[in-house]
Amino acid sequence: MVTAAPPVASPLSVRHLGPNWYATVMGTAVVATAGAALPLERLPGLRGVLAGVWGLSLVLLLVLLLARSAHWARHRDQARADLLDPATAPFYGCLAMALLAVGGGALAVGRDVIGPRAAVALDAVLFTAGTAVGLAAAVAVPYLMAVGRRVEPGQATPVWLLPLVAPMVSAAVGPRLVPYLPPGQARRTLLLVCLALFGLSLLATLLMLPLVFARLLTGGPLPLALTPTLFLVLGPLGQSTTAVGAFADVAPGVVPEPYGHGFDALAVLYGVPVMGFALLWSCLAGVHVWRARRRGMRFAMTWWSFTFPVGTCVTGAEALGRHTGLVAYAGPAVVLFGVLVAAWGTAVVGTVRGLVRGELLAGPGPAPVAPRPATARTTSGAVR
């Protein structure tokens, strides 16, 4: 049987550089942030390595912001098509989360490189921009999906969660800035804004998750290329647990009692059951990925789904370990960090190889002459 050759593009082409590429920034930044949260200070040189990884995420963010600006300037037709494509538009949530992840990493480890004052300023700018973009995406993307092309329930994938999770990332990284604000109204306002963002994202996620789960049960396994996106469900679970832990860290003295110490109870009473569900979902997603791998799943940009969501589970488990004092949470956090580093390394190697070969930035190829198994390719080329 004769099939069409896979499309190849120049590594410098930006026509098909979709918003999904911001996942590389998110996945890189979370390695630094998650590592800094663990009790591994005794490991020599680790802090410097984490600072270097954060620096790489900052460089990636700047490069992608420039490249995506060129994409909109030179290929506005493709950019508009991506925005109206229900398979691609949700990835605009990745832009917000990339800004927030790099900003949060600035205070976690970046201050070792650029200094505390610059780290606070950078985090403040990126937190503000990321939160604004995240809120816009959380409203605009579902709206465009509702009034644009008709979307069937069978098309639901975990990718739909991306714009809804972005405000949860704001809720998790925002409390880091609370101690740097003037005492009183300013600190209290920021903390409660983060709590509101937590509620916004949590309730929106609870509306979307049943669609994703129902699609999985009634529609069968996801196409091979999309199977790694099942790990995206871990994002809101781990990030929300991280968020309530961060609230508990800064609340005493910021909000009046009994609310200040009430956040300690929230961190445990919310985090424990949610991380239990995260364990269940990680097993389910892992089995699906194992099945897809046996059926020929090849590297695609969706493999970055193995990084950021797992990183949020690392920080969530670490937060529970900190607030419960249990090794049962602190220990698995270290193990999960090892999984995160391995997943990140695999994604980096696959991405670099795909860029060198010109495959990842290529547009959709011509239809093959003979039938072939479905690989879930979007019309815009967002998932390859």
Side-chain angles (χ1 to χ4, degrees):
M1 293 185 295
V2 179
T3 58
V8 176
S10 165
L12 298 179
S13 173
V14 297
R15 178 169 180 79
H16 297 285
L17 183 74
N20 58 317
W21 277 82
Y22 286 113
T24 62
V25 180
M26 299 160 52
T28 302
V30 80
V31 172
T33 306
L38 298 175
L40 301 175
E41 297 85 357
R42 295 182 180 180
L43 291 180
L46 176 62
R47 185 82 180 181
V49 172
L50 296 177
V53 172
W54 173 82
L56 175 60
S57 72
L58 177 60
V59 172
L60 285 173
L61 176 62
L62 295 175
V63 170
L64 281 173
L65 287 174
L66 290 174
R68 286 287 297 163
S69 297
H71 172 81
W72 271 94
R74 300 176 186 176
H75 308 288
R76 191 159 297 181
D77 61 325
Q78 183 65 47
R80 289 176 175 173
D82 289 347
L83 192 59
L84 297 176
D85 185 353
T88 308
F91 285 103
Y92 274 89
C94 292
L95 168 58
M97 290 187 280
L99 295 169
L100 293 164
V102 174
L107 279 183
V109 294
R111 60 187 179 185
D112 297 346
V113 179
I114 62 177
R117 181 171 298 183
V120 172
L122 179 62
D123 189 19
V125 171
L126 293 180
F127 172 77
T128 302
T131 300
V133 173
L135 289 173
V139 174
V141 172
Y143 172 78
L144 291 174
M145 292 175 66
V147 302
R149 301 181 189 177
R150 184 175 179 84
V151 180
E152 300 294 337
Q155 296 176 270
T157 72
V159 172
W160 288 9
L161 291 169
L162 290 173
L164 307 179
V165 177
M168 187 66 78
V169 182
S170 294
V173 303
R176 291 179 179 271
L177 289 169
V178 169
Y180 297 97
L181 294 177
Q185 289 282 333
R187 292 185 180 181
R188 190 178 308 166
T189 299
L190 178 56
L191 178 59
L192 293 185
V193 164
C194 291
L195 182 60
L197 292 169
F198 167 85
L200 180 160
S201 181
L202 177 63
L203 294 177
T205 299
L206 291 177
L207 289 174
M208 189 65 71
L209 269 179
L211 294 178
V212 175
F213 193 54
R215 155 65 182 85
L216 194 63
L217 293 183
T218 62
L222 294 177
L224 297 184
L226 286 175
T227 302
T229 63
L230 288 172
F231 276 82
L232 293 177
V233 175
L234 297 179
L237 304 178
Q239 199 67 276
S240 60
T241 304
T242 303
V244 293
F247 298 159
D249 291 337
V250 301
V254 173
V255 294
E257 297 301 336
Y259 304 110
H261 288 90
F263 279 103
D264 283 321
L266 176 65
V268 176
L269 295 179
Y270 174 88
V272 171
V274 168
M275 290 303 287
F277 179 70
L279 176 61
L280 169 66
W281 190 270
S282 63
C283 293
L284 177 64
V287 172
H288 273 271
V289 168
W290 176 75
R291 174 189 177 276
R293 188 63 173 162
R294 292 192 63 185
R295 282 162 174 74
M297 182 183 73
R298 300 173 58 191
F299 177 80
M301 286 298 291
T302 51
W303 282 36
W304 283 95
S305 302
F306 298 136
T307 58
F308 190 78
V310 174
T312 67
C313 290
V314 174
T315 55
E318 189 279 331
L320 279 178
R322 188 171 65 252
H323 288 284
T324 63
L326 296 177
V327 178
Y329 289 108
V334 176
V335 175
L336 279 175
F337 180 69
V339 174
L340 168 63
V341 172
W344 177 75
T346 302
V348 168
V349 171
T351 302
V352 172
R353 182 184 295 122
L355 283 174
V356 172
R357 294 177 178 176
E359 299 171 351
L360 293 181
L361 292 178
V369 175
R372 62 188 297 181
T375 54
R377 190 179 185 107
T378 67
T379 57
S380 63
V383 179
R384 302 194 217 352

